[in-house]
Coordinates of all heavy atoms in Angstrom, one line a residue:
T484 N 15.6 15.2 13.8 CA 15.6 14.4 15.0 C 15.6 12.9 14.7 O 15.9 12.1 15.6 CB 14.3 14.6 15.9 OG1 13.2 14.2 15.0 CG2 14.1 16.1 16.2
G485 N 15.3 12.6 13.5 CA 15.2 11.1 13.1 C 13.8 10.5 13.6 O 13.6 9.3 13.3
E486 N 13.0 11.2 14.2 CA 11.8 10.7 14.8 C 10.7 10.8 13.7 O 10.6 11.8 12.9 CB 11.3 11.5 16.0 CG 12.3 11.4 17.2 CD 12.4 9.9 17.6 OE1 11.4 9.3 17.9 OE2 13.6 9.5 17.7
P487 N 9.8 9.8 13.6 CA 8.7 9.9 12.5 C 7.8 11.2 12.9 O 7.5 11.6 14.0 CB 7.8 8.6 12.8 CG 8.8 7.6 13.6 CD 9.7 8.5 14.4
G488 N 7.4 11.8 11.7 CA 6.6 13.0 11.9 C 5.2 12.7 12.5 O 4.6 13.5 13.1
F489 N 4.8 11.5 12.3 CA 3.5 11.0 12.8 C 3.5 11.2 14.3 O 2.5 11.7 15.0 CB 3.1 9.7 12.4 CG 1.7 9.2 12.9 CD1 0.6 9.4 12.2 CD2 1.7 8.6 14.2 CE1 -0.6 9.0 12.6 CE2 0.4 8.3 14.7 CZ -0.7 8.4 13.9
E490 N 4.5 10.7 15.0 CA 4.7 10.7 16.4 C 4.7 12.1 16.9 O 4.3 12.4 18.0 CB 5.9 9.8 16.8 CG 5.6 8.3 16.5 CD 6.7 7.4 17.1 OE1 7.3 7.8 18.0 OE2 6.8 6.3 16.6
T491 N 5.5 13.0 16.2 CA 5.5 14.4 16.6 C 4.1 15.0 16.6 O 3.8 15.8 17.5 CB 6.4 15.1 15.6 OG1 7.7 14.6 15.6 CG2 6.5 16.6 16.0
A492 N 3.3 14.6 15.5 CA 2.0 15.3 15.4 C 1.0 14.7 16.4 O 0.2 15.4 16.9 CB 1.5 15.1 14.0
Y493 N 1.0 13.3 16.6 CA 0.0 12.6 17.4 C 0.5 12.2 18.8 O -0.4 11.9 19.6 CB -0.6 11.5 16.7 CG -1.4 11.9 15.4 CD1 -0.8 12.1 14.2 CD2 -2.8 12.0 15.6 CE1 -1.5 12.6 13.1 CE2 -3.6 12.5 14.5 CZ -2.9 12.6 13.3 OH -3.7 13.1 12.2
G494 N 1.7 12.1 19.1 CA 2.2 11.8 20.4 C 2.2 10.3 20.7 O 2.6 9.9 21.8
V495 N 1.9 9.5 19.7 CA 1.9 8.0 19.9 C 2.3 7.4 18.5 O 2.2 8.0 17.5 CB 0.5 7.4 20.3 CG1 0.0 8.0 21.6 CG2 -0.5 7.8 19.2
P496 N 2.8 6.1 18.6 CA 3.1 5.5 17.4 C 1.9 5.2 16.5 O 0.8 5.2 17.0 CB 3.7 4.1 17.8 CG 4.1 4.4 19.3 CD 3.2 5.3 19.8
F497 N 2.1 5.1 15.2 CA 1.1 4.9 14.1 C 0.1 3.8 14.5 O -1.1 4.0 14.5 CB 1.7 4.8 12.8 CG 0.7 4.6 11.7 CD1 -0.1 5.6 11.2 CD2 0.6 3.3 11.0 CE1 -1.0 5.5 10.3 CE2 -0.3 3.2 10.0 CZ -1.1 4.3 9.6
F498 N 0.6 2.6 14.8 CA -0.3 1.5 15.0 C -1.0 1.6 16.3 O -2.2 1.0 16.4 CB 0.5 0.2 14.8 CG 0.9 -0.1 13.4 CD1 2.3 -0.1 13.1 CD2 0.0 -0.4 12.4 CE1 2.6 -0.2 11.7 CE2 0.4 -0.7 11.1 CZ 1.6 -0.6 10.8
A499 N -0.4 2.3 17.3 CA -1.2 2.5 18.5 C -2.4 3.4 18.3 O -3.5 3.2 18.8 CB -0.3 3.1 19.6
H500 N -2.1 4.4 17.4 CA -3.2 5.3 17.0 C -4.3 4.6 16.3 O -5.5 4.8 16.6 CB -2.6 6.5 16.2 CG -3.7 7.5 15.7 ND1 -4.2 8.4 16.6 CD2 -4.2 7.7 14.5 CE1 -5.1 9.2 16.0 NE2 -5.1 8.7 14.7
L501 N -3.9 3.7 15.4 CA -5.0 2.9 14.7 C -5.8 2.1 15.7 O -7.0 2.0 15.5 CB -4.3 2.0 13.7 CG -3.7 2.7 12.5 CD1 -3.2 1.6 11.4 CD2 -4.6 3.6 11.7
S502 N -5.1 1.5 16.6 CA -5.9 0.7 17.6 C -6.8 1.5 18.4 O -7.9 0.9 18.9 CB -4.9 -0.1 18.6 OG -4.0 -0.9 17.8
A503 N -6.5 2.7 18.7 CA -7.4 3.6 19.5 C -8.5 4.3 18.7 O -9.3 4.9 19.3 CB -6.5 4.6 20.2
T504 N -8.4 4.3 17.3 CA -9.3 5.0 16.5 C -9.9 4.0 15.5 O -9.3 3.8 14.4 CB -8.7 6.2 15.8 OG1 -7.4 5.7 15.1 CG2 -8.3 7.3 16.8
P505 N -11.1 3.4 15.8 CA -11.6 2.4 14.9 C -11.9 2.9 13.5 O -11.7 2.0 12.6 CB -12.9 2.0 15.6 CG -12.7 2.2 17.1 CD -11.8 3.5 17.0
D506 N -12.3 4.1 13.3 CA -12.6 4.5 11.9 C -11.3 4.6 11.1 O -11.3 4.2 10.0 CB -13.2 5.9 12.0 CG -12.4 6.9 12.7 OD1 -11.6 6.6 13.6 OD2 -12.5 8.1 12.3
K507 N -10.1 5.0 11.7 CA -8.9 5.1 11.0 C -8.4 3.6 10.8 O -7.8 3.4 9.7 CB -7.8 5.8 11.8 CG -8.2 7.4 12.1 CD -8.4 8.1 10.7 CE -8.6 9.6 11.1 NZ -8.9 10.3 9.8
S508 N -8.6 2.8 11.7 CA -8.2 1.3 11.5 C -8.9 0.7 10.4 O -8.3 0.0 9.5 CB -8.4 0.6 12.8 OG -8.0 -0.8 12.7
R509 N -10.3 1.0 10.2 CA -11.0 0.4 9.1 C -10.6 1.0 7.8 O -10.5 0.3 6.8 CB -12.5 0.8 9.4 CG -13.1 -0.1 10.4 CD -14.7 0.0 10.5 NE -15.1 1.3 10.9 CZ -15.4 1.7 12.1 NH1 -15.2 0.9 13.1 NH2 -15.7 3.0 12.3
L510 N -10.3 2.3 7.8 CA -9.7 3.0 6.6 C -8.4 2.3 6.2 O -8.2 2.0 4.9 CB -9.5 4.4 6.8 CG -8.9 5.2 5.7 CD1 -9.7 5.1 4.4 CD2 -8.6 6.7 6.0
F511 N -7.5 2.1 7.1 CA -6.3 1.5 6.9 C -6.4 0.1 6.3 O -5.8 -0.3 5.3 CB -5.4 1.4 8.1 CG -4.0 0.8 7.9 CD1 -3.0 1.5 7.5 CD2 -3.8 -0.6 8.3 CE1 -1.7 0.9 7.3 CE2 -2.6 -1.0 8.2 CZ -1.5 -0.4 7.7
D512 N -7.2 -0.7 6.9 CA -7.4 -2.1 6.4 C -8.1 -2.1 5.0 O -7.7 -2.9 4.2 CB -8.3 -2.8 7.3 CG -7.7 -3.2 8.7 OD1 -6.4 -3.2 8.7 OD2 -8.3 -3.5 9.7
A513 N -9.0 -1.2 4.8 CA -9.6 -1.1 3.5 C -8.6 -0.7 2.5 O -8.6 -1.2 1.3 CB -10.8 -0.2 3.5
A514 N -7.7 0.2 2.8 CA -6.7 0.7 1.8 C -5.8 -0.4 1.6 O -5.4 -0.6 0.4 CB -6.0 2.0 2.4
M515 N -5.3 -1.2 2.6 CA -4.4 -2.2 2.3 C -4.9 -3.3 1.5 O -4.3 -3.8 0.5 CB -3.9 -2.8 3.6 CG -3.0 -1.9 4.5 SD -1.6 -1.2 3.7 CE -2.1 0.5 3.3
T516 N -6.3 -3.5 1.6 CA -6.9 -4.5 0.7 C -7.0 -4.0 -0.7 O -6.7 -4.8 -1.7 CB -8.3 -4.8 1.3 OG1 -8.2 -5.4 2.6 CG2 -9.1 -5.8 0.4
S517 N -7.5 -2.8 -0.9 CA -7.6 -2.2 -2.3 C -6.2 -2.0 -2.9 O -6.1 -2.3 -4.1 CB -8.3 -0.9 -2.2 OG -7.6 0.2 -1.7
R518 N -5.3 -1.6 -2.2 CA -3.9 -1.4 -2.7 C -3.2 -2.7 -3.2 O -2.4 -2.6 -4.1 CB -3.0 -0.7 -1.6 CG -1.6 -0.4 -2.1 CD -1.0 0.5 -1.0 NE 0.4 0.8 -1.3 CZ 1.4 0.0 -0.8 NH1 1.2 -0.9 0.1 NH2 2.7 0.3 -1.2
T519 N -3.6 -3.7 -2.6 CA -2.8 -5.0 -2.9 C -3.6 -6.0 -3.7 O -3.2 -7.1 -4.0 CB -2.4 -5.7 -1.6 OG1 -3.5 -6.0 -0.8 CG2 -1.4 -4.7 -0.9
G520 N -4.9 -5.7 -4.1 CA -5.7 -6.6 -4.8 C -5.1 -7.2 -6.0 O -4.9 -8.4 -6.2
Q521 N -4.6 -6.3 -7.0 CA -3.9 -6.8 -8.2 C -2.6 -7.4 -7.8 O -2.1 -8.3 -8.4 CB -3.8 -5.6 -9.2 CG -3.1 -6.0 -10.5 CD -3.9 -7.1 -11.2 OE1 -5.1 -7.0 -11.5 NE2 -3.2 -8.1 -11.6
A522 N -1.9 -6.7 -6.8 CA -0.6 -7.3 -6.5 C -0.7 -8.6 -5.9 O 0.2 -9.5 -6.2 CB 0.0 -6.3 -5.3
D523 N -1.8 -9.0 -5.2 CA -1.9 -10.4 -4.8 C -1.9 -11.4 -5.9 O -1.3 -12.5 -5.8 CB -3.2 -10.5 -3.9 CG -3.1 -9.8 -2.6 OD1 -1.9 -9.7 -2.1 OD2 -4.1 -9.5 -1.9
E524 N -2.6 -11.0 -7.0 CA -2.7 -12.0 -8.1 C -1.3 -12.0 -8.8 O -1.0 -13.1 -9.1 CB -3.7 -11.4 -9.1 CG -5.2 -11.4 -8.7 CD -6.1 -10.8 -9.8 OE1 -5.7 -10.9 -11.0 OE2 -7.2 -10.3 -9.4
D525 N -0.6 -10.9 -8.9 CA 0.7 -10.9 -9.5 C 1.7 -11.7 -8.7 O 2.5 -12.5 -9.2 CB 1.2 -9.5 -9.7 CG 0.5 -8.7 -10.7 OD1 -0.2 -9.3 -11.5 OD2 0.5 -7.5 -10.6
I526 N 1.6 -11.6 -7.3 CA 2.5 -12.3 -6.5 C 2.2 -13.8 -6.5 O 3.1 -14.7 -6.6 CB 2.4 -11.8 -5.0 CG1 3.0 -10.4 -5.0 CG2 3.1 -12.7 -4.0 CD1 2.6 -9.6 -3.7
A527 N 0.9 -14.2 -6.4 CA 0.6 -15.6 -6.4 C 1.0 -16.2 -7.6 O 1.3 -17.4 -7.7 CB -0.9 -15.8 -6.1
G528 N 0.8 -15.4 -8.8 CA 1.2 -16.0 -10.1 C 2.6 -16.1 -10.3 O 3.1 -16.9 -11.3
A529 N 3.5 -15.5 -9.5 CA 4.9 -15.6 -9.7 C 5.6 -16.7 -8.9 O 6.8 -16.9 -9.0 CB 5.6 -14.2 -9.4
Y530 N 4.8 -17.3 -8.0 CA 5.4 -18.3 -7.1 C 4.6 -19.7 -7.1 O 3.4 -19.7 -7.2 CB 5.3 -17.8 -5.7 CG 6.1 -18.6 -4.6 CD1 7.4 -18.5 -4.6 CD2 5.4 -19.5 -3.8 CE1 8.2 -19.3 -3.6 CE2 6.1 -20.2 -2.9 CZ 7.5 -20.2 -2.8 OH 8.2 -20.9 -1.9
A531 N 5.4 -20.8 -7.1 CA 4.7 -22.0 -7.2 C 4.4 -22.5 -5.8 O 5.3 -23.1 -5.1 CB 5.7 -23.0 -7.8
F532 N 3.2 -22.2 -5.3 CA 2.8 -22.6 -4.1 C 2.6 -24.1 -4.0 O 2.2 -24.7 -5.1 CB 1.4 -21.9 -3.6 CG 1.6 -20.5 -3.2 CD1 1.6 -19.5 -4.1 CD2 1.8 -20.2 -1.9 CE1 1.7 -18.1 -3.7 CE2 2.0 -18.9 -1.4 CZ 1.9 -17.9 -2.3
P533 N 2.8 -24.8 -2.9 CA 2.8 -26.2 -2.9 C 1.3 -26.7 -3.1 O 0.4 -26.0 -2.8 CB 3.2 -26.6 -1.4 CG 3.0 -25.3 -0.6 CD 3.2 -24.2 -1.6
D534 N 1.2 -27.9 -3.5 CA -0.1 -28.6 -3.8 C -0.8 -29.1 -2.5 O -2.0 -29.4 -2.5 CB 0.0 -29.8 -4.8 CG 0.5 -29.3 -6.2 OD1 0.1 -28.1 -6.5 OD2 1.2 -30.0 -6.8
S535 N 0.0 -29.2 -1.5 CA -0.6 -29.7 -0.2 C 0.1 -29.0 1.0 O 1.0 -28.3 0.8 CB -0.4 -31.2 -0.1 OG 0.9 -31.6 -0.2
G536 N -0.3 -29.3 2.2 CA 0.3 -28.7 3.3 C -0.5 -27.6 3.8 O -1.7 -27.3 3.4
T537 N 0.1 -26.8 4.8 CA -0.5 -25.6 5.4 C 0.4 -24.4 5.2 O 1.5 -24.4 5.5 CB -0.8 -25.9 6.8 OG1 -1.7 -27.0 7.0 CG2 -1.4 -24.6 7.5
V538 N -0.3 -23.4 4.7 CA 0.5 -22.0 4.6 C -0.1 -21.2 5.7 O -1.4 -21.1 5.8 CB 0.2 -21.5 3.2 CG1 -1.2 -21.3 2.8 CG2 1.0 -20.1 3.1
V539 N 0.7 -20.4 6.3 CA 0.4 -19.6 7.5 C 0.7 -18.1 7.1 O 1.9 -17.8 6.8 CB 1.0 -19.9 8.8 CG1 0.5 -19.1 9.9 CG2 0.7 -21.4 9.1
D540 N -0.3 -17.3 7.0 CA -0.1 -15.9 6.5 C -0.1 -15.0 7.8 O -1.1 -14.7 8.4 CB -1.3 -15.5 5.6 CG -1.0 -14.2 4.8 OD1 0.0 -13.6 5.1 OD2 -1.8 -13.8 4.0
I541 N 1.2 -14.6 8.1 CA 1.4 -13.8 9.3 C 1.2 -12.3 9.0 O 1.8 -11.8 8.1 CB 2.9 -14.0 9.8 CG1 3.1 -15.5 10.1 CG2 3.1 -13.2 11.1 CD1 2.3 -16.1 11.1
G542 N 0.3 -11.7 9.8 CA 0.0 -10.3 9.5 C -0.7 -10.2 8.1 O -0.5 -9.2 7.5
G543 N -1.5 -11.1 7.8 CA -2.1 -11.3 6.4 C -3.3 -10.4 6.2 O -3.9 -10.5 5.1
G544 N -3.6 -9.4 7.1 CA -4.7 -8.5 6.9 C -6.0 -9.3 6.7 O -6.4 -10.1 7.5
R545 N -6.7 -9.0 5.6 CA -8.0 -9.7 5.4 C -7.9 -11.0 4.6 O -8.9 -11.6 4.2 CB -9.0 -8.8 4.7 CG -9.3 -7.5 5.6 CD -10.1 -6.5 4.9 NE -11.4 -7.0 4.5 CZ -12.2 -6.4 3.7 NH1 -11.9 -5.2 3.1 NH2 -13.5 -6.9 3.5
G546 N -6.6 -11.3 4.2 CA -6.4 -12.6 3.5 C -6.4 -12.6 2.1 O -6.7 -13.7 1.4
G547 N -6.1 -11.5 1.4 CA -6.2 -11.5 -0.1 C -5.2 -12.4 -0.7 O -5.5 -13.1 -1.7
L548 N -3.9 -12.4 -0.2 CA -2.9 -13.2 -0.8 C -3.1 -14.6 -0.5 O -3.0 -15.5 -1.3 CB -1.5 -12.7 -0.3 CG -0.3 -13.6 -0.9 CD1 -0.2 -13.6 -2.3 CD2 1.0 -13.1 -0.3
L549 N -3.6 -14.9 0.7 CA -3.9 -16.3 1.1 C -5.0 -16.9 0.3 O -4.9 -18.0 -0.2 CB -4.2 -16.3 2.6 CG -4.6 -17.8 3.2 CD1 -3.3 -18.6 3.0 CD2 -5.0 -17.7 4.6
R550 N -6.0 -16.0 0.0 CA -7.1 -16.5 -0.9 C -6.6 -16.9 -2.3 O -7.0 -17.9 -2.8 CB -8.1 -15.4 -1.0 CG -9.3 -15.8 -1.8 CD -10.4 -14.7 -1.9 NE -9.8 -13.5 -2.5 CZ -10.4 -12.3 -2.6 NH1 -11.7 -12.2 -2.1 NH2 -9.9 -11.3 -3.3
E551 N -5.7 -16.0 -2.8 CA -5.1 -16.3 -4.1 C -4.3 -17.6 -4.1 O -4.4 -18.5 -5.0 CB -4.2 -15.2 -4.6 CG -5.0 -13.9 -5.0 CD -5.7 -14.1 -6.3 OE1 -5.4 -14.9 -7.1 OE2 -6.8 -13.5 -6.5
A552 N -3.5 -17.8 -3.1 CA -2.7 -19.0 -2.9 C -3.6 -20.3 -2.8 O -3.3 -21.3 -3.6 CB -1.8 -18.9 -1.7
L553 N -4.6 -20.2 -2.0 CA -5.5 -21.5 -1.8 C -6.3 -21.6 -3.1 O -6.6 -22.8 -3.5 CB -6.5 -21.1 -0.6 CG -5.8 -21.0 0.7 CD1 -6.8 -20.9 1.8 CD2 -4.9 -22.2 1.0
T554 N -6.7 -20.6 -3.8 CA -7.4 -20.8 -5.1 C -6.6 -21.5 -6.1 O -7.1 -22.4 -6.9 CB -7.9 -19.4 -5.6 OG1 -8.8 -18.9 -4.5 CG2 -8.7 -19.6 -6.9
R555 N -5.3 -21.2 -6.2 CA -4.5 -21.7 -7.2 C -4.0 -23.2 -6.9 O -3.6 -23.9 -7.7 CB -3.3 -20.8 -7.4 CG -3.6 -19.5 -8.1 CD -2.5 -18.5 -8.0 NE -2.9 -17.2 -8.5 CZ -2.7 -16.7 -9.7 NH1 -2.0 -17.5 -10.5 NH2 -3.0 -15.5 -10.1
S556 N -4.0 -23.5 -5.5 CA -3.6 -24.8 -5.1 C -4.7 -25.5 -4.4 O -4.8 -25.3 -3.1 CB -2.3 -24.7 -4.2 OG -1.2 -24.1 -5.0
P557 N -5.5 -26.2 -5.0 CA -6.7 -26.8 -4.3 C -6.5 -27.8 -3.2 O -7.3 -27.9 -2.3 CB -7.5 -27.5 -5.5 CG -7.0 -26.8 -6.7 CD -5.6 -26.4 -6.4
G558 N -5.2 -28.3 -3.1 CA -4.9 -29.2 -2.0 C -4.4 -28.5 -0.8 O -4.1 -29.2 0.2
L559 N -4.2 -27.2 -0.9 CA -3.5 -26.4 0.2 C -4.5 -26.0 1.2 O -5.7 -25.6 0.9 CB -2.8 -25.2 -0.4 CG -1.7 -24.5 0.4 CD1 -0.6 -25.3 0.8 CD2 -1.2 -23.3 -0.5

Side-chain angles (χ1 to χ4, degrees):
T484 66
E486 300 297 310
F489 182 92
E490 295 184 20
T491 302
Y493 288 88
V495 295
F497 178 69
F498 289 109
H500 180 72
L501 290 185
S502 295
T504 51
D506 58 329
K507 299 299 185 183
S508 181
R509 287 191 294 269
L510 174 61
F511 179 81
D512 288 341
M515 293 304 100
T516 299
S517 70
R518 180 171 174 262
T519 61
Q521 181 61 52
D523 288 338
E524 294 183 23
D525 293 338
I526 291 164
Y530 188 76
F532 282 90
D534 295 326
S535 61
T537 299
V538 57
V539 183
D540 195 353
I541 304 297
R545 298 173 65 191
L548 178 56
L549 182 59
R550 181 180 61 182
E551 287 291 330
L553 297 181
T554 299
R555 292 167 185 265
S556 299
L559 193 62

